[in-house]
Amino acid sequence: MKIMMVVVLLLSASTVFAGTRVEGVRLWPAPDHTRLVLDTAGQVEHNVFSLSGPSRLVIDLKNTALGTDFSNIDLSGSPIQSIRSAPRNGKDLRVVLDLKSDIKPRSFVLAPNQQYGHRLVIDLIDEKGSRLDRATSPTVTQDSAGKRDIIVVIDAGHGGEDPGAIGPRGTREKDVVLKMAKRLEALINQQKGFTAKLTRTGDYYIGLRNRTLLARKYNADLFVSVHADAFRTPQPRGASVFALSQRGATSETARWLAQSENRSDLIGGAGGVSLDGRDDMLAGVLLDLSMTASINASLGVGDSVLGRLGRVAKLHKQGVEQAAFVVLKSPDIPSILVEAGFISNPTEEKNLATEWYRNKLANAIFDGIEQYFRRTPPPGTLLAWEKQKRGGGTDVSQYRIRRGDTLSAVAKENETTVSELMRFNGMSDDRVMVGQTIRIPSS
């Protein structure tokens, strides 16, 4: 009988401690939120709620014990004053965040990845307005004639809890691309007629669609997302440039039409026409025109950037590739994604970890961007005004379409872009007919 009682007690004890543990904690302050990450030994059930007077956030973790020390975490730059914890109901854990002010909490769990195990993520969102709400078009240089700068928004991929790809020697994509993005920003801001903005300036994460929304808030003329590729084997290498695929564009136009809040957004590629108040058919036509023009311009600037990258680095593919990346799906802003190389390749990882190689790539990307915009500057910009002064806005030639011609081939032959030819000839799409005569702007 005594032996049976001991067994029962042991089983009860094992049941009590059969839950998971909090094994680590990390904090990622960002401009519009702070991310608190609890590393757990396994999946965890949790509940989060706020208290006021004073401001606190309570995190209850079911069947969980504490296996780390909260006192070692650096809370600077965050809304958290202190973190305390205590067991609850015998087998649960309560974590309390003492806050400097009220915040809006958001929580979710993440499955293990290449770098981390199970995680509970708590986002503390700034109630005074997110960075998106506060973002405005940057103050740009104006010359004496009131000509504006070209605005380029540079997006360093990943960040914070999302390290991106990790090389064989532990080099993290998020670190490499942020350094490249900052170098590219400096190059652009040093060039007269250009202004650059970064989507992230530090080691924190921004949602993919929020990156493109920031570009729209900044009234960007171009969106450039910088990444470093990876593959399951170490052999692939080389830089790549991507634009949005037509398939991705088709799904995105449907998404925009389905979401009512998008109706009031201006679509720059359709001449600043709002979808607000339009019926579905007309809105769809306007959106398709805008997306087509945006993709054509993306291919043009992508080709220019790829050509410059090919002078300083090995290319993975010789042409601009197209894919349905979320960060490229802005219907009114030309957008490209630059893969700086394969961080999974030992040689390229070693190169990407060095400042001289990152700077070489950033210089090439900048040269490609500048070359494209000097050839096809947006109306109202300083570069467009300078081009017109040189006669670039008045001299034209004509070309008669022959069998086998495409508008993209004609654009490439005449060192211009499909979108520029469409705009110059008042075309609604890129289709041409044999015998058609089109006007070619002087480059």
Side-chain angles (χ1 to χ4, degrees), residues 154-157 173 177 180 184 222-229 238-243 301-302 305-306 309 315 325 327-328 335-341 361-362 364-366 369:
I154 308 159
D155 171 52
E173 179 182 4
V177 298
M180 277 188 60
L184 182 57
L222 176 66
F223 177 84
V224 182
S225 191
V226 185
H227 291 254
D229 217 339
S240 306
V241 177
F242 287 85
V301 70
V305 168
L306 192 68
L309 281 172
L315 297 180
F325 290 117
V327 291
L328 299 180
S335 305
I336 62 172
L337 185 146
V338 178
E339 295 280 9
L361 293 178
I365 296 169
F366 168 70
I369 292 171

mmCIF file of all heavy atoms in Angstrom, residues 154-157 173 177 180 184 222-229 238-243 301-302 305-306 309 315 325 327-328 335-341 361-362 364-366 369:
data_model
loop_
_atom_site.group_PDB
_atom_site.id
_atom_site.type_symbol
_atom_site.label_atom_id
_atom_site.label_comp_id
_atom_site.label_asym_id
_atom_site.label_seq_id
_atom_site.Cartn_x
_atom_site.Cartn_y
_atom_site.Cartn_z
ATOM 1 N N ILE A 154 14.436 52.754 -49.486
ATOM 2 C CA ILE A 154 15.286 51.568 -49.439
ATOM 3 C C ILE A 154 14.849 50.693 -48.269
ATOM 4 O O ILE A 154 14.742 51.157 -47.140
ATOM 5 C CB ILE A 154 16.766 51.961 -49.273
ATOM 6 C CG1 ILE A 154 17.168 52.988 -50.332
ATOM 7 C CG2 ILE A 154 17.664 50.731 -49.366
ATOM 8 C CD1 ILE A 154 18.401 53.779 -49.959
ATOM 9 N N ASP A 155 14.603 49.433 -48.564
ATOM 10 C CA ASP A 155 14.083 48.497 -47.572
ATOM 11 C C ASP A 155 15.112 47.415 -47.290
ATOM 12 O O ASP A 155 15.433 46.611 -48.168
ATOM 13 C CB ASP A 155 12.791 47.863 -48.098
ATOM 14 C CG ASP A 155 12.302 46.728 -47.226
ATOM 15 O OD1 ASP A 155 12.186 46.946 -46.013
ATOM 16 O OD2 ASP A 155 12.055 45.629 -47.762
ATOM 17 N N ALA A 156 15.668 47.399 -46.081
ATOM 18 C CA ALA A 156 16.553 46.313 -45.653
ATOM 19 C C ALA A 156 15.691 45.159 -45.170
ATOM 20 O O ALA A 156 14.932 45.295 -44.213
ATOM 21 C CB ALA A 156 17.490 46.791 -44.546
ATOM 22 N N GLY A 157 15.778 44.005 -45.827
ATOM 23 C CA GLY A 157 14.921 42.882 -45.510
ATOM 24 C C GLY A 157 15.121 42.340 -44.096
ATOM 25 O O GLY A 157 16.156 42.532 -43.472
ATOM 26 N N GLU A 173 21.649 37.514 -42.624
ATOM 27 C CA GLU A 173 21.178 38.345 -43.725
ATOM 28 C C GLU A 173 20.705 39.712 -43.235
ATOM 29 O O GLU A 173 20.994 40.742 -43.845
ATOM 30 C CB GLU A 173 20.042 37.640 -44.465
ATOM 31 C CG GLU A 173 19.459 38.442 -45.625
ATOM 32 C CD GLU A 173 18.301 37.741 -46.309
ATOM 33 O OE1 GLU A 173 17.892 36.654 -45.851
ATOM 34 O OE2 GLU A 173 17.794 38.293 -47.302
ATOM 35 N N VAL A 177 22.225 43.229 -44.984
ATOM 36 C CA VAL A 177 21.409 44.092 -45.850
ATOM 37 C C VAL A 177 21.151 45.455 -45.211
ATOM 38 O O VAL A 177 20.978 46.452 -45.930
ATOM 39 C CB VAL A 177 20.088 43.394 -46.243
ATOM 40 C CG1 VAL A 177 20.388 42.132 -47.042
ATOM 41 C CG2 VAL A 177 19.220 43.068 -45.037
ATOM 42 N N MET A 180 24.190 47.487 -46.061
ATOM 43 C CA MET A 180 24.140 47.866 -47.478
ATOM 44 C C MET A 180 23.115 48.967 -47.713
ATOM 45 O O MET A 180 23.355 49.910 -48.473
ATOM 46 C CB MET A 180 23.804 46.654 -48.337
ATOM 47 C CG MET A 180 24.988 45.776 -48.688
ATOM 48 S SD MET A 180 24.534 44.510 -49.891
ATOM 49 C CE MET A 180 24.006 45.527 -51.259
ATOM 50 N N LEU A 184 23.716 52.660 -49.295
ATOM 51 C CA LEU A 184 22.972 53.120 -50.468
ATOM 52 C C LEU A 184 22.232 54.418 -50.167
ATOM 53 O O LEU A 184 22.191 55.336 -50.998
ATOM 54 C CB LEU A 184 21.993 52.031 -50.911
ATOM 55 C CG LEU A 184 21.153 52.311 -52.159
ATOM 56 C CD1 LEU A 184 22.038 52.629 -53.364
ATOM 57 C CD2 LEU A 184 20.250 51.112 -52.466
ATOM 58 N N LEU A 222 10.580 55.265 -56.327
ATOM 59 C CA LEU A 222 11.143 53.929 -56.481
ATOM 60 C C LEU A 222 11.273 53.279 -55.109
ATOM 61 O O LEU A 222 11.654 53.931 -54.136
ATOM 62 C CB LEU A 222 12.526 53.994 -57.151
ATOM 63 C CG LEU A 222 13.281 52.664 -57.283
ATOM 64 C CD1 LEU A 222 12.549 51.730 -58.247
ATOM 65 C CD2 LEU A 222 14.713 52.896 -57.750
ATOM 66 N N PHE A 223 10.970 51.983 -55.043
ATOM 67 C CA PHE A 223 11.123 51.177 -53.834
ATOM 68 C C PHE A 223 12.146 50.089 -54.130
ATOM 69 O O PHE A 223 12.000 49.333 -55.100
ATOM 70 C CB PHE A 223 9.776 50.568 -53.437
ATOM 71 C CG PHE A 223 9.822 49.656 -52.241
ATOM 72 C CD1 PHE A 223 9.759 50.177 -50.963
ATOM 73 C CD2 PHE A 223 9.912 48.278 -52.392
ATOM 74 C CE1 PHE A 223 9.789 49.340 -49.845
ATOM 75 C CE2 PHE A 223 9.942 47.442 -51.295
ATOM 76 C CZ PHE A 223 9.877 47.973 -50.020
ATOM 77 N N VAL A 224 13.206 50.010 -53.310
ATOM 78 C CA VAL A 224 14.272 49.021 -53.503
ATOM 79 C C VAL A 224 14.399 48.193 -52.236
ATOM 80 O O VAL A 224 14.749 48.716 -51.172
ATOM 81 C CB VAL A 224 15.628 49.703 -53.812
ATOM 82 C CG1 VAL A 224 16.708 48.646 -54.053
ATOM 83 C CG2 VAL A 224 15.513 50.635 -55.008
ATOM 84 N N SER A 225 14.116 46.891 -52.327
ATOM 85 C CA SER A 225 14.250 45.987 -51.189
ATOM 86 C C SER A 225 15.539 45.187 -51.351
ATOM 87 O O SER A 225 15.772 44.586 -52.402
ATOM 88 C CB SER A 225 13.043 45.042 -51.119
ATOM 89 O OG SER A 225 13.031 44.335 -49.896
ATOM 90 N N VAL A 226 16.387 45.203 -50.320
ATOM 91 C CA VAL A 226 17.707 44.570 -50.391
ATOM 92 C C VAL A 226 17.720 43.294 -49.553
ATOM 93 O O VAL A 226 17.348 43.312 -48.378
ATOM 94 C CB VAL A 226 18.811 45.530 -49.906
ATOM 95 C CG1 VAL A 226 20.187 44.902 -50.104
ATOM 96 C CG2 VAL A 226 18.728 46.863 -50.647
ATOM 97 N N HIS A 227 18.155 42.195 -50.170
ATOM 98 C CA HIS A 227 18.194 40.888 -49.508
ATOM 99 C C HIS A 227 19.498 40.172 -49.844
ATOM 100 O O HIS A 227 20.284 40.644 -50.669
ATOM 101 C CB HIS A 227 17.002 40.033 -49.949
ATOM 102 C CG HIS A 227 15.687 40.517 -49.444
ATOM 103 N ND1 HIS A 227 14.991 39.894 -48.431
ATOM 104 C CD2 HIS A 227 14.934 41.587 -49.804
ATOM 105 C CE1 HIS A 227 13.868 40.558 -48.189
ATOM 106 N NE2 HIS A 227 13.810 41.591 -49.013
ATOM 107 N N ALA A 228 19.721 39.013 -49.221
ATOM 108 C CA ALA A 228 20.837 38.129 -49.548
ATOM 109 C C ALA A 228 20.282 36.710 -49.589
ATOM 110 O O ALA A 228 19.767 36.215 -48.594
ATOM 111 C CB ALA A 228 21.960 38.243 -48.521
ATOM 112 N N ASP A 229 20.371 36.094 -50.736
ATOM 113 C CA ASP A 229 19.701 34.823 -51.010
ATOM 114 C C ASP A 229 20.329 33.654 -50.253
ATOM 115 O O ASP A 229 21.418 33.768 -49.690
ATOM 116 C CB ASP A 229 19.758 34.539 -52.525
ATOM 117 C CG ASP A 229 18.487 33.876 -53.026
ATOM 118 O OD1 ASP A 229 17.767 33.296 -52.206
ATOM 119 O OD2 ASP A 229 18.223 33.948 -54.239
ATOM 120 N N GLY A 238 25.854 34.371 -56.845
ATOM 121 C CA GLY A 238 25.561 35.442 -57.790
ATOM 122 C C GLY A 238 24.419 36.339 -57.346
ATOM 123 O O GLY A 238 23.510 35.922 -56.619
ATOM 124 N N ALA A 239 24.470 37.592 -57.803
ATOM 125 C CA ALA A 239 23.438 38.582 -57.489
ATOM 126 C C ALA A 239 22.264 38.461 -58.461
ATOM 127 O O ALA A 239 22.422 38.007 -59.595
ATOM 128 C CB ALA A 239 24.030 39.985 -57.541
ATOM 129 N N SER A 240 21.089 38.876 -58.022
ATOM 130 C CA SER A 240 19.881 38.839 -58.842
ATOM 131 C C SER A 240 19.072 40.105 -58.609
ATOM 132 O O SER A 240 19.198 40.757 -57.571
ATOM 133 C CB SER A 240 19.000 37.624 -58.491
ATOM 134 O OG SER A 240 19.716 36.417 -58.555
ATOM 135 N N VAL A 241 18.214 40.424 -59.586
ATOM 136 C CA VAL A 241 17.256 41.524 -59.443
ATOM 137 C C VAL A 241 15.882 41.004 -59.850
ATOM 138 O O VAL A 241 15.736 40.349 -60.882
ATOM 139 C CB VAL A 241 17.634 42.742 -60.302
ATOM 140 C CG1 VAL A 241 16.563 43.830 -60.178
ATOM 141 C CG2 VAL A 241 18.990 43.285 -59.894
ATOM 142 N N PHE A 242 14.879 41.288 -59.012
ATOM 143 C CA PHE A 242 13.515 40.820 -59.258
ATOM 144 C C PHE A 242 12.555 42.003 -59.407
ATOM 145 O O PHE A 242 12.716 43.038 -58.757
ATOM 146 C CB PHE A 242 13.021 39.955 -58.102
ATOM 147 C CG PHE A 242 13.641 38.591 -58.039
ATOM 148 C CD1 PHE A 242 14.865 38.401 -57.399
ATOM 149 C CD2 PHE A 242 13.008 37.493 -58.608
ATOM 150 C CE1 PHE A 242 15.439 37.143 -57.329
ATOM 151 C CE2 PHE A 242 13.582 36.232 -58.536
ATOM 152 C CZ PHE A 242 14.800 36.057 -57.903
ATOM 153 N N ALA A 243 11.548 41.809 -60.249
ATOM 154 C CA ALA A 243 10.390 42.703 -60.328
ATOM 155 C C ALA A 243 9.148 41.842 -60.124
ATOM 156 O O ALA A 243 9.229 40.606 -60.104
ATOM 157 C CB ALA A 243 10.347 43.419 -61.671
ATOM 158 N N VAL A 301 14.136 49.865 -64.514
ATOM 159 C CA VAL A 301 15.148 50.208 -63.512
ATOM 160 C C VAL A 301 15.905 48.952 -63.072
ATOM 161 O O VAL A 301 17.114 48.994 -62.804
ATOM 162 C CB VAL A 301 14.512 50.945 -62.311
ATOM 163 C CG1 VAL A 301 13.635 50.040 -61.479
ATOM 164 C CG2 VAL A 301 15.589 51.575 -61.439
ATOM 165 N N GLY A 302 15.206 47.805 -63.024
ATOM 166 C CA GLY A 302 15.863 46.559 -62.669
ATOM 167 C C GLY A 302 16.931 46.172 -63.668
ATOM 168 O O GLY A 302 18.021 45.705 -63.285
ATOM 169 N N VAL A 305 19.953 48.407 -63.037
ATOM 170 C CA VAL A 305 20.692 48.004 -61.836
ATOM 171 C C VAL A 305 21.452 46.706 -62.077
ATOM 172 O O VAL A 305 22.623 46.564 -61.700
ATOM 173 C CB VAL A 305 19.725 47.861 -60.637
ATOM 174 C CG1 VAL A 305 20.405 47.160 -59.462
ATOM 175 C CG2 VAL A 305 19.197 49.222 -60.210
ATOM 176 N N LEU A 306 20.803 45.749 -62.741
ATOM 177 C CA LEU A 306 21.455 44.463 -63.001
ATOM 178 C C LEU A 306 22.692 44.653 -63.879
ATOM 179 O O LEU A 306 23.728 44.000 -63.664
ATOM 180 C CB LEU A 306 20.475 43.500 -63.667
ATOM 181 C CG LEU A 306 20.905 42.038 -63.738
ATOM 182 C CD1 LEU A 306 20.943 41.422 -62.348
ATOM 183 C CD2 LEU A 306 19.971 41.240 -64.639
ATOM 184 N N LEU A 309 25.419 45.892 -61.628
ATOM 185 C CA LEU A 309 25.876 44.835 -60.723
ATOM 186 C C LEU A 309 26.778 43.842 -61.453
ATOM 187 O O LEU A 309 27.745 43.325 -60.889
ATOM 188 C CB LEU A 309 24.682 44.099 -60.118
ATOM 189 C CG LEU A 309 23.953 44.774 -58.957
ATOM 190 C CD1 LEU A 309 22.679 44.019 -58.612
ATOM 191 C CD2 LEU A 309 24.851 44.866 -57.727
ATOM 192 N N LEU A 315 26.695 37.392 -61.664
ATOM 193 C CA LEU A 315 25.241 37.406 -61.691
ATOM 194 C C LEU A 315 24.708 35.981 -61.670
ATOM 195 O O LEU A 315 25.240 35.096 -62.349
ATOM 196 C CB LEU A 315 24.723 38.133 -62.935
ATOM 197 C CG LEU A 315 25.064 39.618 -63.057
ATOM 198 C CD1 LEU A 315 24.474 40.187 -64.339
ATOM 199 C CD2 LEU A 315 24.560 40.401 -61.851
ATOM 200 N N PHE A 325 6.712 38.491 -55.004
ATOM 201 C CA PHE A 325 7.122 38.933 -53.670
ATOM 202 C C PHE A 325 6.148 39.980 -53.139
ATOM 203 O O PHE A 325 5.775 40.917 -53.858
ATOM 204 C CB PHE A 325 8.523 39.537 -53.710
ATOM 205 C CG PHE A 325 9.626 38.539 -53.947
ATOM 206 C CD1 PHE A 325 10.419 38.611 -55.071
ATOM 207 C CD2 PHE A 325 9.875 37.523 -53.036
ATOM 208 C CE1 PHE A 325 11.436 37.697 -55.298
ATOM 209 C CE2 PHE A 325 10.895 36.608 -53.240
ATOM 210 C CZ PHE A 325 11.669 36.694 -54.377
ATOM 211 N N VAL A 327 6.631 42.426 -51.048
ATOM 212 C CA VAL A 327 7.154 43.789 -50.969
ATOM 213 C C VAL A 327 7.207 44.476 -52.330
ATOM 214 O O VAL A 327 7.459 45.680 -52.406
ATOM 215 C CB VAL A 327 8.566 43.835 -50.344
ATOM 216 C CG1 VAL A 327 8.508 43.494 -48.877
ATOM 217 C CG2 VAL A 327 9.536 42.932 -51.076
ATOM 218 N N LEU A 328 6.966 43.741 -53.411
ATOM 219 C CA LEU A 328 6.965 44.355 -54.747
ATOM 220 C C LEU A 328 5.568 44.721 -55.211
ATOM 221 O O LEU A 328 5.405 45.239 -56.316
ATOM 222 C CB LEU A 328 7.599 43.385 -55.759
ATOM 223 C CG LEU A 328 9.052 42.983 -55.514
ATOM 224 C CD1 LEU A 328 9.518 42.028 -56.602
ATOM 225 C CD2 LEU A 328 9.958 44.202 -55.459
ATOM 226 N N SER A 335 9.000 48.997 -58.215
ATOM 227 C CA SER A 335 9.620 48.310 -57.082
ATOM 228 C C SER A 335 10.520 47.185 -57.578
ATOM 229 O O SER A 335 10.119 46.411 -58.446
ATOM 230 C CB SER A 335 8.546 47.726 -56.158
ATOM 231 O OG SER A 335 7.625 48.716 -55.735
ATOM 232 N N ILE A 336 11.717 47.104 -57.000
ATOM 233 C CA ILE A 336 12.624 46.005 -57.331
ATOM 234 C C ILE A 336 13.158 45.382 -56.045
ATOM 235 O O ILE A 336 13.229 46.044 -55.006
ATOM 236 C CB ILE A 336 13.803 46.452 -58.224
ATOM 237 C CG1 ILE A 336 14.674 47.500 -57.515
ATOM 238 C CG2 ILE A 336 13.315 46.935 -59.573
ATOM 239 C CD1 ILE A 336 15.959 47.841 -58.254
ATOM 240 N N LEU A 337 13.500 44.109 -56.131
ATOM 241 C CA LEU A 337 14.131 43.399 -55.022
ATOM 242 C C LEU A 337 15.508 42.949 -55.495
ATOM 243 O O LEU A 337 15.627 42.268 -56.515
ATOM 244 C CB LEU A 337 13.283 42.208 -54.582
ATOM 245 C CG LEU A 337 13.753 41.435 -53.345
ATOM 246 C CD1 LEU A 337 12.552 40.907 -52.554
ATOM 247 C CD2 LEU A 337 14.671 40.276 -53.709
ATOM 248 N N VAL A 338 16.543 43.364 -54.781
ATOM 249 C CA VAL A 338 17.917 43.029 -55.134
ATOM 250 C C VAL A 338 18.432 41.957 -54.185
ATOM 251 O O VAL A 338 18.465 42.165 -52.971
ATOM 252 C CB VAL A 338 18.829 44.278 -55.076
ATOM 253 C CG1 VAL A 338 20.274 43.886 -55.400
ATOM 254 C CG2 VAL A 338 18.341 45.353 -56.035
ATOM 255 N N GLU A 339 18.784 40.803 -54.738
ATOM 256 C CA GLU A 339 19.465 39.760 -53.963
ATOM 257 C C GLU A 339 20.958 39.996 -54.146
ATOM 258 O O GLU A 339 21.502 39.798 -55.234
ATOM 259 C CB GLU A 339 19.072 38.367 -54.464
ATOM 260 C CG GLU A 339 17.602 38.014 -54.257
ATOM 261 C CD GLU A 339 17.287 37.565 -52.833
ATOM 262 O OE1 GLU A 339 18.177 37.681 -51.966
ATOM 263 O OE2 GLU A 339 16.157 37.105 -52.600
ATOM 264 N N ALA A 340 21.647 40.421 -53.089
ATOM 265 C CA ALA A 340 23.048 40.820 -53.194
ATOM 266 C C ALA A 340 23.979 39.644 -53.449
ATOM 267 O O ALA A 340 25.132 39.839 -53.854
ATOM 268 C CB ALA A 340 23.478 41.539 -51.920
ATOM 269 N N GLY A 341 23.515 38.428 -53.225
ATOM 270 C CA GLY A 341 24.325 37.238 -53.411
ATOM 271 C C GLY A 341 23.772 36.120 -52.557
ATOM 272 O O GLY A 341 22.786 36.304 -51.834
ATOM 273 N N LEU A 361 28.804 46.742 -54.025
ATOM 274 C CA LEU A 361 27.455 46.415 -54.484
ATOM 275 C C LEU A 361 26.526 47.618 -54.362
ATOM 276 O O LEU A 361 25.730 47.898 -55.272
ATOM 277 C CB LEU A 361 26.902 45.241 -53.676
ATOM 278 C CG LEU A 361 27.583 43.887 -53.861
ATOM 279 C CD1 LEU A 361 26.928 42.855 -52.946
ATOM 280 C CD2 LEU A 361 27.522 43.425 -55.296
ATOM 281 N N ALA A 362 26.599 48.329 -53.239
ATOM 282 C CA ALA A 362 25.743 49.509 -53.045
ATOM 283 C C ALA A 362 26.037 50.567 -54.101
ATOM 284 O O ALA A 362 25.112 51.207 -54.635
ATOM 285 C CB ALA A 362 25.946 50.078 -51.644
ATOM 286 N N ALA A 364 27.121 50.024 -57.121
ATOM 287 C CA ALA A 364 26.578 49.547 -58.388
ATOM 288 C C ALA A 364 25.063 49.751 -58.447
ATOM 289 O O ALA A 364 24.520 50.163 -59.481
ATOM 290 C CB ALA A 364 26.931 48.076 -58.584
ATOM 291 N N ILE A 365 24.372 49.458 -57.339
ATOM 292 C CA ILE A 365 22.913 49.668 -57.302
ATOM 293 C C ILE A 365 22.588 51.144 -57.510
ATOM 294 O O ILE A 365 21.688 51.497 -58.275
ATOM 295 C CB ILE A 365 22.332 49.160 -55.965
ATOM 296 C CG1 ILE A 365 22.522 47.642 -55.843
ATOM 297 C CG2 ILE A 365 20.848 49.512 -55.848
ATOM 298 C CD1 ILE A 365 22.216 47.093 -54.457
ATOM 299 N N PHE A 366 23.335 52.004 -56.828
ATOM 300 C CA PHE A 366 23.117 53.446 -56.995
ATOM 301 C C PHE A 366 23.367 53.889 -58.435
ATOM 302 O O PHE A 366 22.573 54.649 -59.000
ATOM 303 C CB PHE A 366 24.018 54.234 -56.054
ATOM 304 C CG PHE A 366 24.070 55.700 -56.366
ATOM 305 C CD1 PHE A 366 22.968 56.512 -56.137
ATOM 306 C CD2 PHE A 366 25.204 56.262 -56.937
ATOM 307 C CE1 PHE A 366 22.995 57.858 -56.449
ATOM 308 C CE2 PHE A 366 25.238 57.604 -57.255
ATOM 309 C CZ PHE A 366 24.134 58.406 -57.010
ATOM 310 N N ILE A 369 20.405 52.957 -60.531
ATOM 311 C CA ILE A 369 19.245 53.815 -60.255
ATOM 312 C C ILE A 369 19.428 55.181 -60.894
ATOM 313 O O ILE A 369 18.518 55.715 -61.552
ATOM 314 C CB ILE A 369 19.035 53.947 -58.731
ATOM 315 C CG1 ILE A 369 18.597 52.605 -58.127
ATOM 316 C CG2 ILE A 369 18.003 55.036 -58.413
ATOM 317 C CD1 ILE A 369 18.581 52.591 -56.612
#
